[in-house]
């Protein structure tokens, strides 16, 4: 196998890792479907039959977004070390077979029983043209986030927030605090994994001239994704409790 074919295969590997959880230790040890199963068991997500199609569509759209993140993170590394451009061919191979791949390898319903969490008409919904249309939208959001800040970490977080909000509205699913934080953190941790993975493909002689850097991991308590969305919930419960006390005394 020559270097070009090797890097194409590494692109396929990086894309396949999009379907693993990076909040788990050791890193990436659980599939996303296993984490979603916990959400269902703990009733963090209440999925009635009428809501199932919406969540199925959201999960598939999120999978497309995770695959896009592999491209997004690679840009800076490929600028520093052009041979990494071959990884894009590996990404393309996953995109071209996305419905088949996610059906066989990444159905988030696996582990919940025999209930699939893939949307109906998967092949039609995620044709090459429609995946490219999603990529175009993600590109515009990413470009805006990168224009607004010089910090790669801040740009990635802003971009992730905008995409998740967009998909939540598009697919009509409520991303409550723990659910929103989960998908946000998963995206950031996957980006961290990719940064380390790509750097490992670059010869050490290139390191001194590298401009790309791995994304910084942010703890939950310090993460604006968590605190920004948690504060309104605290206010809500405080006000609700105060009203209950007033009514009880009345």
């Amino acid at each position: 196998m020559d270097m070009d074919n090797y890097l194409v295969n590494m692109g396929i590997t990086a894309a396949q890792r999009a379907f693993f959880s990076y909040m788990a230790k050791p890193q990436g040890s659980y599939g996303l479907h296993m984490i979603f199963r916990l959400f269902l068991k703990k009733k963090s997500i209440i999925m009635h039959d009428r809501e199932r199609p919406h969540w199925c569509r959201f999960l598939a759209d999120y999978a497309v977004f995770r695959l896009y993140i592999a491209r997004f993170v690679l840009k800076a590394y490929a600028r520093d070390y052009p041979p990494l451009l071959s990884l894009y061919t590996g990404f393309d191979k996953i995109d071209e077979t996305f419905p088949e791949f996610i059906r066989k390898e990444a159905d988030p319903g696996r582990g919940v029983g025999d209930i699939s969490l893939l949307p109906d008409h998967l092949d039609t919904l995620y044709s090459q043209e429609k995946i490219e249309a999603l990529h175009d939208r993600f590109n515009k959001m990413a470009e805006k986030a990168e224009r607004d800040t010089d910090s790669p970490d801040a740009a990635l977080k802003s971009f992730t927030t905008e995409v998740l909000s967009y998909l939540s509205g598009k697919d009509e699913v409520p991303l409550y605090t723990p659910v929103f934080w989960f998908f946000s953190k998963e995206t950031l941790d996957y980006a961290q994994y990719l940064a380390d993975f790509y750097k490992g493909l670059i010869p050490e002689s290139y390191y001194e001239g590298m401009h790309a850097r791995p994304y910084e991991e942010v703890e939950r308590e310090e993460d604006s994704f968590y605190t920004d969305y948690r504060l309104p919930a605290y206010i809500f419960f405080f006000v609700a409790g105060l009203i209950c006390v007033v009514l009880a005394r009345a």
Side-chain angles (χ1 to χ4, degrees):
M1 179 184 294
D2 61 22
M3 179 57 69
D4 187 62
N5 286 332
Y6 170 76
L7 291 174
V8 169
N9 284 331
M10 289 301 98
I12 293 173
T13 298
Q16 288 173 330
R17 300 300 294 182
F19 299 97
F20 284 78
S21 168
Y22 288 87
M23 294 172 70
K25 300 296 181 184
Q27 190 180 65
S29 60
Y30 295 104
L32 286 169
H33 61 277
M34 296 297 292
I35 306 297
F36 198 77
R37 175 190 179 188
L38 293 178
F39 274 126
L40 294 175
K41 289 183 68 175
K42 293 182 179 180
K43 300 189 184 305
S44 297
I45 295 175
I46 307 298
M47 189 192 303
H48 300 294
D49 287 343
R50 66 180 179 276
E51 295 165 341
R52 178 186 170 280
H54 299 286
W55 276 110
C56 290
R57 182 67 179 267
F58 173 81
L59 290 168
D61 281 346
Y62 177 69
V64 175
F65 175 51
R66 288 272 286 226
L67 291 171
Y68 178 86
I69 287 293
R71 299 172 180 273
F72 178 81
V73 176
L74 180 61
K75 288 189 300 182
Y77 290 87
R79 280 196 296 266
D80 288 342
Y81 187 61
L84 291 185
L85 291 170
S86 295
L87 272 71
Y88 285 108
T89 302
F91 302 154
D92 289 340
K93 289 180 181 295
I94 297 296
D95 284 343
E96 289 166 4
T97 60
F98 178 79
E100 179 183 357
F101 178 79
I102 194 172
R103 189 181 289 117
K104 290 182 178 179
E105 303 292 338
D107 183 345
R110 194 193 323 157
V112 187
D114 294 327
I115 302 172
S116 173
L117 291 175
L118 294 178
D120 296 331
H121 312 297
L122 189 67
D123 296 273
T124 302
L125 290 173
Y126 297 96
S127 63
Q128 274 298 101
E129 293 77 13
K130 293 187 177 179
I131 288 179
E132 288 174 5
L134 272 175
H135 281 191
D136 287 342
R137 184 172 289 273
F138 295 156
N139 276 331
K140 292 175 183 176
M141 294 178 183
E143 289 168 1
K144 178 180 181 300
E146 289 175 320
R147 284 196 305 269
D148 292 344
T149 178
D150 293 330
S151 166
D153 292 282
L156 177 63
K157 290 177 185 178
S158 174
F159 171 45
T160 299
T161 297
E162 186 169 2
V163 170
L164 290 176
S165 299
Y166 163 71
L167 295 181
S168 174
K170 171 180 175 291
D171 299 323
E172 300 179 4
V173 297
L175 292 186
Y176 299 120
T177 301
V179 184
F180 186 94
W181 183 84
F182 166 73
F183 285 111
S184 303
K185 187 73 166 77
E186 275 298 329
T187 306
L188 298 179
D189 283 355
Y190 176 50
Q192 176 69 59
Y193 161 80
L194 288 168
D196 293 336
F197 180 82
Y198 296 151
K199 187 173 181 180
L201 298 175
I202 300 174
E204 290 185 11
S205 57
Y206 281 80
Y207 282 174
E208 291 184 4
M210 288 280 294
H211 299 291
R213 293 290 181 268
Y215 293 95
E216 294 180 4
E217 186 172 359
V218 181
E219 296 299 327
R220 178 171 180 155
E221 290 74 13
E222 301 171 354
D223 194 341
S224 61
F225 281 128
Y226 181 66
T227 55
D228 291 351
Y229 283 81
R230 180 175 59 179
L231 181 59
Y234 279 163
I235 295 173
F236 171 81
F237 287 116
F238 174 79
V239 173
L242 187 61
I243 292 173
C244 290
V245 171
V246 170
L247 292 176
R249 290 182 175 178

